[in-house]
Amino acid sequence: MACTKRVTGCISTRHSLAVLLMGVIIHFFTLRSNFSIIVVAMVKHSKNNEGNSSRENECYVNVTQNYKYFTHENGTAFNLHNETGELWQANSTDHKSQDKFSWDPITQGRIIGAYSYGHVFSQVMGGFLEARFGGKKVLGLSILLSSVLTLLTPAAAVAGEWWLFVVRVVVGFVQGVTYPSIFGILSRWAPPSERGRLLTIVSTGETLGVFVGFTLTARLITQFGWAVTLYITGVAGLAFCCIWCLLAYDSPSVHPRISEDERKYIESNLETTTKEREIPWFKMLSSPHLWALIYIHCTDGWGFFMMLTCLPLYMDTILNFNIDANGALSAMPYLTLMASRILSSFIIDAIIKLSSFKKVNIRKTSILALVGVAACLVAVGHVRCDSTAAIAMLCLATAMSGVMIPGFYPSYTELTLGFSGVAFGISNAVTNCAGFIVPLMVGVITEENQTVAAWQKVFYVSAAISVSGSVMALGFLRTDPVSWAQDPDEDKLPQPARDKLIRDFNDGEKCPVIVYETTV
C-alpha cells in the first residue's frame, strides 16, 4: 500500500482539526479587532473639531451627501461628520440606557492598546505550556477565560477605566498562547507536503475574525448597543469552547475516531523527534537561523499591524469615509488576503511535492512577495485622494502578503521540528511589539498633520521594512533542521541504505517508517 493513500470519506481528520483551529483564530481575531469599534460606541461624543487646517485642502468630500447615503433606512446613522467637519453623533438607536464614558483620546488609546500589552508576554509561555500539557488543554482554557472576561467587560467599564484596562490586558494575555499552541499541534498533525495547505485553512480564521470584528460588530452595536454586543461575543466563545473540548485532540495517536490508514500516513511522514525532551533555551535563543525567521516574521507583522490598527484611521482622516463605510472597506483587504492564502497554498504545496526545486529556494521565492507589498504601499501614498485606487492597492498588498502563510511560516516547523511551538512563541512575542510601535510611529508622523504627505512617510517606512525582510530571507533563510532540534539518539541509516529507502518510497514499492528530507 502506498504511503500517499488518502483516507476515504468527506473530510480527513487532520482537515477537520484544521477547521477547528480556524474557529480558534476567528474567536481570537474577533476579540482583538472589534474592541476599537466598541470603544467608539462607549464614549460620549462631543463636538470636536480636528484642528487640522491643512485637511480642508486635501481630499475634501461633500459629507452632507455621505450622510444621506449612509443613513440607515430607519433614520439612524453612526458617527458621521457634519458640514463643518465636526464629529456628530446622530444615532437615534443610541441605547441611552447604557452607560457612556467621558474618555479623552489618550485614555481611549490606552484602553484599545491594553490587549497588546498582555498579548506580548504570554507568547513564549504558550509554547512551553503546549509542549508540557498539550494544545487541546491550553487552547481550551484560553477560549474559556477570554470568553468569561468578555462577559465581565461591561461591569469592568462601569467600575472604572483602569478596571477595564486590566480586563483587556488579561484577555490579551490568555489569548497570547493561541499561535504557539497551534504550531505545536500542527507539528504533530501536518505532513510536510501539506503544512502550507493546513496552515492556510487555519489562518483563514484571521480574515473571518477581522471581518466579524469590523462589520458585524458595528451592526450589532447599532441594533443592540455595545454591552449586549460583548455579551453575544462572550456567549459565542463559551459555545465554541464546548465544541473544541469535544472534538479536538493533540495528536493522531490519541484521536479515538481517526482511521488507521490516516494515522499511519501522518505518523510515517512526520520528522522523528523524541518525546519529553527538555527545551534547549540557550541554543534556541542564540540560534542565528531562528533569529533570521524572527526578523522576517517581524517585517511581515509590521505590515499586518499597520493594516489592522491604522487602516481605519487612514480611511477616516484622509479618504473621509464615515464609520459604517469604514468598517466595510477596512475588511475588504482581508477578503483578498484570504483568497490569496488559499490559492497560493495549493500552488506552493504542489511545487514542493512535485518539483525538483529545493524547499529553501521555494521559501525564499515566496518571501519575495514582501517586495510587492512594499511597492503597493508606496503606490497608496501616491494615488493621494483617489479612494478607489488606494483601496485597490491595499487589497493587492494584502493579496501578495497572503503568500507568506504557506510560503514562509512552515519554516518554523522545518527548522525547529518538535520545538516549533516554543520557537514561534518567541517569534510572535517579538513581532507583536509592532502592535505598540506601529500606532506610535503613525501618531508621531501624523500628529496634528493628517495630510497625504505625512501618510506617504508612513507608507515609505513600512515599505522599507518589508523589503528588508526579503533581503534577510535571500541571505540567511534555512529550512533544514538545526542540530539542537534533532533527536541525538535517533538511529541514522548509512547513506546507501537511506538512498534505497527513498527510491523505494518514490517507486511506491513499500512504505518507509521515516522519510527525512534535508535541504540547504
Side-chain angles (χ1 to χ4, degrees), residues 433-501:
C433 291
F436 313 135
I437 300 172
V438 171
L440 177 62
M441 182 269 295
V442 172
V444 170
I445 294 176
T446 64
E447 183 181 11
E448 297 184 357
N449 185 31
Q450 292 291 348
T451 63
V452 172
W455 276 92
Q456 283 178 343
K457 296 178 182 178
V458 172
F459 293 129
Y460 288 151
V461 172
S462 300
I465 291 174
S466 293
V467 171
S468 69
S470 294
V471 173
M472 176 65 73
L474 291 175
F476 302 101
L477 181 67
R478 168 180 169 177
T479 59
D480 58 308
V482 289
S483 58
W484 50 263
Q486 298 181 55
D487 185 354
D489 299 324
E490 178 184 348
D491 292 328
K492 298 185 181 296
L493 289 170
Q495 188 64 31
R498 183 182 184 280
D499 291 342
K500 184 178 186 301
L501 270 177

Side-chain angles (χ1 to χ4, degrees), residues 143-458:
I143 298 167
L144 175 64
L145 292 178
S146 60
S147 300
V148 171
L149 289 168
T150 299
L151 293 172
L152 295 176
T153 299
V158 173
E161 64 185 65
W162 284 107
W163 283 105
L164 179 59
F165 177 85
V166 170
V167 168
R168 288 299 295 174
V169 169
V170 178
V171 170
F173 183 83
V174 300
Q175 286 201 314
V177 303
T178 301
Y179 271 110
S181 297
I182 286 175
F183 270 76
I185 291 175
L186 288 178
S187 70
R188 292 182 288 274
W189 274 95
S193 63
E194 297 182 15
R195 280 183 184 142
R197 188 183 314 162
L198 293 176
L199 189 57
T200 297
I201 294 174
V202 175
S203 64
T204 301
E206 295 180 6
T207 303
L208 298 177
V210 172
F211 185 81
V212 171
F214 278 163
T215 58
L216 183 58
T217 297
R219 186 61 181 171
L220 289 174
I221 289 172
T222 59
Q223 293 295 316
F224 305 110
W226 61 266
V228 176
T229 300
L230 287 167
Y231 294 141
I232 292 173
T233 306
V235 170
L238 291 176
F240 179 73
C241 182
C242 296
I243 296 173
W244 169 262
C245 292
L246 289 173
L247 300 180
Y249 291 90
D250 289 319
S251 67
S253 62
V254 298
H255 198 293
R257 294 178 297 276
I258 189 173
S259 70
E260 188 66 16
D261 286 343
E262 183 177 10
R263 184 187 65 78
K264 289 181 178 179
Y265 167 70
I266 294 172
E267 293 179 348
S268 65
N269 284 281
L270 293 178
E271 298 91 340
T272 299
T273 56
T274 300
K275 297 181 179 179
E276 304 297 334
R277 288 179 59 195
E278 293 186 2
I279 299 173
W281 289 106
F282 177 77
K283 293 181 179 179
M284 182 179 292
L285 293 175
S286 60
S287 172
H289 302 293
L290 178 58
W291 281 103
L293 295 187
I294 293 173
Y295 184 84
I296 298 168
H297 189 180
C298 288
T299 60
D300 182 47
W302 182 280
F304 177 82
F305 282 112
M306 196 189 75
M307 296 286 288
L308 186 66
T309 62
C310 302
L311 179 57
L313 178 63
Y314 178 74
M315 289 188 171
D316 174 53
T317 58
I318 301 300
L319 301 182
N320 288 292
F321 290 109
N322 62 55
I323 287 184
D324 281 341
N326 197 329
L329 293 172
S330 295
M332 283 184 62
Y334 294 94
L335 297 179
T336 61
L337 178 66
M338 178 175 64
S340 172
R341 286 175 175 176
I342 294 173
L343 178 61
S344 60
S345 68
F346 286 104
I347 296 174
I348 292 173
D349 281 350
I351 293 174
I352 291 176
K353 189 172 184 179
L354 301 176
S355 73
S356 59
F357 295 113
K358 291 183 177 179
K359 189 184 299 182
V360 66
N361 292 332
I362 297 173
R363 301 292 184 211
K364 289 180 178 181
T365 303
S366 301
I367 298 170
L368 287 177
L370 290 175
V371 176
V373 173
C376 290
L377 291 176
V378 172
V380 170
H382 284 277
V383 298
R384 301 182 68 84
C385 301
D386 188 340
S387 58
T388 302
I391 295 170
M393 287 296 101
L394 290 170
C395 289
L396 183 58
T398 54
M400 292 184 177
S401 67
V403 178
M404 292 290 290
I405 286 292
F408 164 67
Y409 286 89
S411 300
Y412 284 95
T413 301
E414 294 161 356
L415 184 76
T416 63
L417 301 179
F419 299 117
S420 59
V422 179
F424 189 82
I426 296 171
S427 181
N428 215 29
V430 177
T431 300
N432 270 271
C433 291
F436 313 135
I437 300 172
V438 171
L440 177 62
M441 182 269 295
V442 172
V444 170
I445 294 176
T446 64
E447 183 181 11
E448 297 184 357
N449 185 31
Q450 292 291 348
T451 63
V452 172
W455 276 92
Q456 283 178 343
K457 296 178 182 178
V458 172

